[in-house]
C-alpha cells in the first residue's frame, strides 16, 4: 500500500536512521566519524592541510562504515553487499585495509561499467536526438570506451585515438567523437574538443582564437555507405565529401568530381593553410599530414598548459564533488584554482605516470582529504572550496535505481521508443551499463540523468526535487519493490526482530551496523507497532493509518491459517481430562446444556479461532514493522546521498 501519512512511531525511526549533519552526537556515539586523527601523510594532504590551517579547520576522518560505502559508490558505482561491508568494518587491519580495498575496487570489473557511464556523458554517446549517433554506432562507441577503461589505456593514447581516427562509425568506434558533435562546422568541432579535452568553453574566447583552432578541423569529411546509417569519417583535404554528386552510397573510394582548376588558379574550397593553437602559436599546416594530428601533437605534449590540468581537475571533481577549478569544464584565466599547488602536483603526477588515470585515482583515494567526514566543521564558505569535508551529493539516477534494485532483488524496464521497433534492454542489465543515452526510464528521467546533449558536467542534475521525494515516499513503483521483491522477503517473513537480522538489514541498506538506540526503536516498532483491528467477516485486514505496511498475508501464512481452521472444525467430541461421560445430543436430537467438566466443541473452535487471529495479527504486525523500517531506511538521507 502507498504511504501517504507516516505512522506515529515512524518519525522516530527516520530520525534515528537519517544522517545527522551536525555536532549533536558525541564522537563516541557517532557512527559516521572515527576517533583516529586525520594525518597529513601524503603530498595531497600537506597541500590541503596548509590551506585549512589558515581557516582554523581541524578535519576529521570518516568511519570505516562510511568509507566502505563511499569507496564502493565512488569507484564502481554500487553498494557493498552486507557481507562485504561487515568484513571490511570488522577487519582489524586498520593501517592497510582502506588501501587494499581501493586496490581491489580499481581492479573490479564494474569499475569499467561505472566509468564508461561517466565518460559516455562527456562524449555524448546517444543514438537519437539531438546527437543522432544511431544505435549501432552508439553501442560500438560505448564498447570501445569501456574496453579502453578496462585495459587502463593511457589517457593520452585514448584522446589521440578520439581525435585522429578515420573510418566507419560502426567499425572504428572513436570516429563517433566527431559524429556526436551537433554543430559539425569547424568552429563547432573546435568547441567540442576544447570543452572535452581542455576543460574550456570557447564561448569565452575571442573570435580569432576560435577561428585559429577551427582550422585544425576544417578538413574532416563525412561520407555515407550502402549500409543503413553507416558513415565514414576521414581526412578530406580536397573537400570531396562536400560535393553533392560524390555521396553515392556504397562507393569505396573518394574521388573528386570537381574539374581541376586552371593553371595558376587556386580552388575556392581550399582549406586554411595556417592554423593557430589556443596559446596563440601559429603553425603552417603541411599538405601531407592530417591537421587533426598536428593539433593532437600539440595538445598531448607534456608541456601543454591545458591537457593534464583539465583531466586532473575533472577526476578530482568526479571523486570529491567539486573541482579545484570549478566548474571542471570552465577553465579560464579569471577562474583560478582554489589550490594551485595541489592542481600542479596532480598534473605532474599524471604526466610522470605516462597518463595512467588509475595512478591519479589511487593518489586521491588514499589521501586523508578524500577520507574526510562529510560533517562540516566550519561555517566559513571558503572551507568547502578548500575541501574541508567530503561534500554531500545525491546518488546519480543510475546508481540510485541500481542500489534499490540490488537491495530489493527487482529490475526495471529500460526502453527507447525511437527508432521503431522499440529498443528493449535485457532484464538483468544495470542502469549504469546502458550504452545509449536514448534508452531510459521514467525514474532515470525524474532523477536527473543527463540528456547527453552538451557534454558539460552540469548537464547531470543531482539536486533533490519535490517530485523525487514524493516518488520515493509514496509511489507504487518503489513500494512494490520493497514489499514484493525477493531481496527483503526473508526479513518480512521473520518471526521476531533479532539483533542479527537488524544488523543484516542495516548492512544491506546503509552498509553499517545499527546503533543500540536504533535497535531499541526497531525492535519496539516491530513487536508492538500499532495495527488496526481486524476487519469484520468478509473484510480484509487493515494496514494502519495511511497504510503503513503491507495489507496482505503471505501465501505460507494463509495456508497455515487454513490448516488451523480446518483442524478446529474437525475436532472430535472427546471428553476433557477427567470426564466420565459424553456430551452428545439426546436421541431426540435436542442439545443438552454443557455439563461441568465436559468438552465444549464450540468453545474449542472459538479458542482456536482466537489463537489463530492473534498469531495472524502478530505476524502481520511484525511484517508491517519490517516493511516500515526498510522503507524508512531507503528514504533516509543516509541512503540517498553520497556522504
Amino acid at each position: 500500500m502507498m504511504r501517504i501519512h507516516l505512522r506515529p512511531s515512524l518519525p522516530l525511526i527516520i530520525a534515528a536512521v537519517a544522517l545527522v549533519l551536525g555536532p549533536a552526537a558525541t564522537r563516541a556515539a557517532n557512527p559516521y566519524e572515527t576517533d583516529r586523527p586525520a594525518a597529513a601523510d601524503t603530498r595531497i594532504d600537506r597541500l590541503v592541510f596548509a590551506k585549512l590551517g589558515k581557516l582554523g579547520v581541524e578535519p576529521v576522518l570518516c568511519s570505516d562504515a562510511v568509507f566502505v560505502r563511499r569507496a564502493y559508490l565512488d569507484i564502481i558505482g554500487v553498494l557493498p553487499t552486507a557481507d562485504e561491508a561487515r568484513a571490511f568494518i570488522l577487519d582489524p587491519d586498520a593501517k592497510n585495509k582502506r588501501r587494499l580495498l581501493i586496490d581491489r575496487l580499481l581492479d573490479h570489473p564494474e569499475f569499467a561499467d561505472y566509468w564508461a557511464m561517466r565518460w559516455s556523458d562527456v562524449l555524448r554517446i546517444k543514438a537519437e536526438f539531438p546527437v543522432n549517433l544511431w544505435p549501432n554506432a552508439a553501442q560500438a562507441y560505448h564498447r570501445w570506451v569501456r574496453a579502453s577503461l578496462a585495459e587502463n589505456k593511457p589517457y593520452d593514447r585514448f584522446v589521440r585515438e578520439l581525435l585522429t581516427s578515420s573510418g566507419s562509425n560502426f567499425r572504428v568506434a572513436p570516429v563517433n567523437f566527431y559524429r556526436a558533435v551537433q554543430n559539425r562546422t569547424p568552429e563547432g568541432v573546435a568547441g567540442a574538443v576544447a570543452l572535452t579535452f581542455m576543460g574550456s568553453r570557447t564561448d569565452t574566447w575571442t573570435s580569432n582564437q576560435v577561428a585559429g583552432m577551427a582550422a585544425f578541423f576544417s578538413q574532416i569529411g563525412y561520407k555515407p555507405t550502402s549500409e543503413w546509417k553507416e558513415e565514414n569519417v576521414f581526412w578530406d583535404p580536397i573537400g570531396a565529401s562536400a560535393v553533392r554528386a560524390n555521396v553515392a552510397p556504397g562507393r569505396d573510394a573518394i574521388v573528386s568530381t570537381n574539374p581541376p582548376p586552371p593553371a595558376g588558379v587556386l580552388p575556392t574550397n581550399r582549406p586554411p593553410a595556417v592554423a593557430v593553437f589556443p596559446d596563440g602559436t601559429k603553425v603552417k599546416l603541411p599538405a601531407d599530414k592530417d591537421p587533426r594530428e598536428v593539433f593532437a601533437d600539440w595538445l598531448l605534449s607534456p608541456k601543454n598548459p591545458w591537457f593534464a590540468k583539465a583531466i586532473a581537475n575533472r577526476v578530482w571533481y568526479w571523486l570529491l564533488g567539486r573541482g579545484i577549478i570549478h566548474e571542471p569544464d570552465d577553465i579560464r584565466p579569471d577562474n583560478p584554482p582554489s589550490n594551485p599547488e595541489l592542481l600542479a602536483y596532480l598534473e605532474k603526477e599524471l604526466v610522470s605516470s605516462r597518463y595512467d588515470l588509475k595512478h591519479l585515482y589511487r593518489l586521491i583515494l588514499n589521501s586523508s582529504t578524500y577520507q574526510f567526514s562529510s560533517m562540516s566543521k566550519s561555517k566559513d564558505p571558503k572551507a568547502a572550496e578548500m575541501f574541508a569535508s567530503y561534500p554531500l551529493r545525491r546518488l546519480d539516477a543510475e546508481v540510485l535505481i541500481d542500489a534499490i534494485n540490488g537491495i530489493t532483488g527487482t529490475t526495471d524496464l529500460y526502453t527507447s521508443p525511437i527508432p521503431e521497433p522499440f529498443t528493449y534492454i535485457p532484464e538483468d542489465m544495470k542502469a549504469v551499463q546502458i550504452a545509449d543515452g536514448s534508452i531510459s526510464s521514467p525514474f532515470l528521467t525524474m532523477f536527473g540523468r543527463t540528456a547527453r546533449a552538451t557534454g558539460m558536467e552540469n548537464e547531470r542534475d543531482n539536486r533533490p526535487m519535490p517530485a523525487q521525494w514524493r516518488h520515493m515516499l509514496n509511489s507504487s513503483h518503489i513500494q512494490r519493490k520493497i514489499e514484493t521483491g525477493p531481496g527483503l522477503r526473508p526479513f518480512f517473513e521473520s518471526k521476531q526482530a533479532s539483533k542479527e537480522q537488524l544488523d543484516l538489514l542495516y548492512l544491506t541498506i546503509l552498509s553499517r551496523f545499527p546503533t543500540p538506540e536504533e535497535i531499541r526503536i526497531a525492535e519496539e516498532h516491530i513487536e508492538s507497532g500499532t495495527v488496526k483491528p481486524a476487519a469484520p467477516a468478509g473484510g480484509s485486514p487493515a494496514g494502519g493509518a495511511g497504510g503503513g505496511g503491507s495489507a496482505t498475508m503471505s501465501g505460507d501464512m494463509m495456508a497455515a491459517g487454513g490448516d488451523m481452521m480446518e483442524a478446529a472444525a474437525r475436532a472430535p467430541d472427546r471428553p476433557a481430562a477427567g470426564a466420565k461421560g459424553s456430551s452428545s445430543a439426546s436421541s431426540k436430537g435436542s442439545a443438552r446444556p454443557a455439563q461441568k467438566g465436559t468438552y465444549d466443541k464450540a468453545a474449542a473452535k472459538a479458542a482456536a479461532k482466537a489463537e489463530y487471529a492473534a498469531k495472524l495479527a502478530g505476524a502481520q504486525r511484525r511484517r508491517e514493522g519490517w516493511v516500515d523500517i526498510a522503507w524508512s531506511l531507503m528514504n533516509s538521507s543516509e541512503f540517498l546521498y553520497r556522504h
Side-chain angles (χ1 to χ4, degrees):
M1 294 179 65
M2 294 176 61
R3 287 173 169 75
I4 306 303
H5 304 288
L6 300 181
R7 294 185 179 188
S9 57
L10 279 181
L12 295 176
I13 298 175
I14 295 175
V17 303
L19 180 61
V20 179
L21 302 178
T26 62
R27 182 73 54 80
N30 188 343
Y32 311 112
E33 296 179 338
T34 180
D35 288 327
R36 187 157 52 95
D41 294 331
T42 70
R43 176 65 174 162
I44 288 176
D45 296 325
R46 288 190 287 274
L47 293 169
V48 171
F49 277 54
K51 296 286 187 180
L52 296 180
K54 296 178 181 179
L55 299 176
V57 176
E58 295 183 6
V60 177
L61 292 179
C62 67
S63 66
D64 284 341
V66 169
F67 179 80
V68 67
R69 183 183 190 274
R70 181 186 298 178
Y72 268 82
L73 288 172
D74 286 352
I75 302 175
I76 63 175
V78 301
L79 288 174
T81 65
D83 288 341
E84 289 168 337
R86 186 197 305 272
F88 181 83
I89 295 169
L90 299 181
D91 186 348
D93 187 7
K95 181 179 179 180
N96 297 306
K97 65 180 181 180
R98 296 192 181 191
R99 174 181 57 82
L100 295 174
L101 176 64
I102 290 167
D103 288 342
R104 289 198 301 272
L105 293 178
L106 287 174
D107 291 334
H108 198 285
E110 289 184 279
F111 172 87
D113 291 336
Y114 177 62
W115 290 100
M117 180 196 81
R118 300 304 299 262
W119 273 107
S120 294
D121 294 347
V122 175
L123 298 175
R124 304 170 298 281
I125 300 182
K126 187 175 185 179
E128 305 303 332
F129 181 83
V131 174
N132 295 330
L133 281 179
W134 306 115
N136 285 1
Q139 297 293 332
Y141 198 6
H142 181 269
R143 283 196 299 271
W144 177 82
V145 170
R146 189 194 179 284
S148 298
L149 294 167
E151 70 174 84
N152 195 30
K153 182 181 292 182
Y155 181 65
D156 59 338
R157 183 154 66 91
F158 176 79
V159 174
R160 183 177 290 278
E161 291 177 19
L162 286 168
L163 289 177
T164 64
S165 293
S166 294
S168 162
N169 60 320
F170 292 171
R171 295 166 178 80
V172 185
V175 303
N176 285 290
F177 173 77
Y178 294 105
R179 296 189 67 258
V181 179
Q182 295 179 54
N183 179 4
R184 293 189 185 179
T185 65
E187 292 76 14
V189 173
V193 171
L195 181 73
T196 307
F197 306 121
M198 297 168 58
S200 186
R201 303 172 185 178
T202 55
D203 55 6
T204 65
W205 293 11
T206 66
S207 58
N208 288 337
Q209 284 180 298
V210 176
M213 181 171 166
F216 293 105
F217 306 101
S218 61
Q219 300 178 32
I220 302 174
Y222 306 86
K223 183 177 177 63
T225 73
S226 58
E227 187 170 346
W228 185 75
K229 300 302 182 183
E230 183 180 30
E231 189 174 51
N232 282 317
V233 180
F234 62 99
W235 175 34
D236 186 13
I238 61 176
S241 61
V243 180
R244 184 175 301 175
N246 196 33
V247 293
R251 180 176 295 179
D252 295 328
I254 302 299
V255 181
S256 176
T257 58
N258 283 338
V265 179
L266 295 177
T268 57
N269 64 338
R270 185 179 181 183
V274 177
V276 183
F277 292 117
D279 63 1
T281 304
K282 292 185 179 180
V283 60
K284 184 177 180 180
L285 299 177
D288 60 347
K289 188 173 184 179
D290 188 338
R292 296 178 299 166
E293 296 183 4
V294 177
F295 181 83
D297 292 341
W298 170 84
L299 179 68
L300 304 180
S301 167
K303 297 181 180 180
N304 186 280
W306 279 279
F307 183 63
K309 177 185 296 182
I311 187 59
N313 189 56
R314 192 185 292 271
V315 170
W316 185 274
Y317 164 81
W318 279 337
L319 294 176
L320 283 148
R322 181 185 178 87
I324 302 171
I325 298 175
H326 198 68
E327 298 275 343
D329 46 24
D330 191 19
I331 297 176
R332 47 188 164 83
D334 57 345
N335 185 25
S338 60
N339 192 328
E341 296 82 5
L342 173 61
L343 185 55
Y345 168 71
L346 296 176
E347 292 178 55
K348 181 180 177 181
E349 283 292 325
L350 180 63
V351 174
S352 64
S353 69
R354 298 184 179 181
Y355 297 96
D356 181 352
L357 286 183
K358 284 192 176 181
H359 174 69
L360 201 60
Y361 282 97
R362 281 191 175 88
L363 285 176
I364 298 171
L365 293 167
N366 279 293
S367 69
S368 294
T369 302
Y370 173 77
Q371 299 175 27
F372 284 166
S373 166
S374 60
M375 298 180 181
S376 178
K377 305 302 176 184
S378 173
K379 295 182 180 180
D380 190 333
K382 291 185 178 180
E385 297 177 15
M386 300 304 170
F387 311 103
S389 59
Y390 181 89
L392 289 172
R393 292 165 287 159
R394 206 211 65 220
L395 296 181
D396 303 321
E398 298 94 328
V399 174
L400 178 57
I401 193 60
D402 284 347
I404 293 170
N405 287 340
I407 290 168
T408 60
T410 58
T411 60
D412 268 45
L413 177 65
Y414 304 108
T415 66
S416 173
I418 305 171
E420 297 286 358
F422 295 104
T423 303
Y424 287 94
I425 294 298
E427 187 176 4
D428 60 346
M429 179 174 283
K430 295 182 177 179
V432 298
Q433 297 174 320
I434 298 174
D436 182 0
S438 302
I439 300 172
S440 189
S441 71
F443 183 95
L444 294 181
T445 301
M446 178 184 296
F447 281 78
R449 186 197 193 200
T450 174
R452 294 184 180 173
T454 67
M456 297 175 67
E457 291 289 353
N458 60 17
E459 192 176 8
R460 179 177 286 277
D461 188 358
N462 286 344
R463 294 174 300 175
M465 304 294 288
Q468 298 168 1
W469 288 110
R470 288 195 297 269
H471 188 85
M472 289 297 300
L473 289 167
N474 289 333
S475 72
S476 59
H477 172 232
I478 300 299
Q479 195 63 29
R480 278 196 301 267
K481 287 179 179 295
I482 295 174
E483 292 199 11
T484 66
L488 296 175
R489 189 176 299 154
F491 298 103
F492 301 161
E493 296 179 353
S494 173
K495 294 183 179 180
Q496 61 181 359
S498 67
K499 180 183 182 300
E500 291 73 18
Q501 289 170 310
L502 286 169
D503 284 351
L504 183 58
L505 183 66
Y506 269 72
L507 287 166
T508 299
I509 299 177
L510 300 183
S511 307
R512 68 170 174 86
F513 289 99
T515 65
E517 178 66 7
E518 288 168 337
I519 292 175
R520 183 192 67 77
I521 292 173
E523 289 178 340
E524 180 180 311
H525 182 73
I526 291 172
E527 297 302 331
S528 59
T530 303
V531 179
K532 285 185 177 180
S540 60
S550 172
T552 60
M553 296 176 290
S554 69
D556 292 342
M557 191 180 296
M558 289 291 289
D563 291 344
M564 289 175 63
M565 297 298 289
E566 185 177 353
R570 294 200 307 264
D573 293 338
R574 63 181 184 277
K580 297 181 179 179
S582 172
S583 60
S584 60
S586 65
S587 58
K588 294 183 179 180
S590 60
R592 294 181 181 177
Q595 300 295 322
K596 184 177 180 180
T598 61
Y599 175 70
D600 189 337
K601 180 178 179 180
K605 291 175 67 175
K609 288 182 179 180
E611 181 183 0
Y612 163 69
K615 289 183 177 180
L616 183 61
Q620 184 177 340
R621 181 179 64 246
R622 286 190 294 273
R623 185 183 194 281
E624 291 183 354
W626 279 109
V627 171
D628 288 342
I629 293 172
W631 172 82
S632 300
L633 296 180
M634 293 174 68
N635 275 283
S636 68
S637 297
E638 187 173 352
F639 175 73
L640 297 171
Y641 281 74
R642 299 177 190 267
H643 60 83

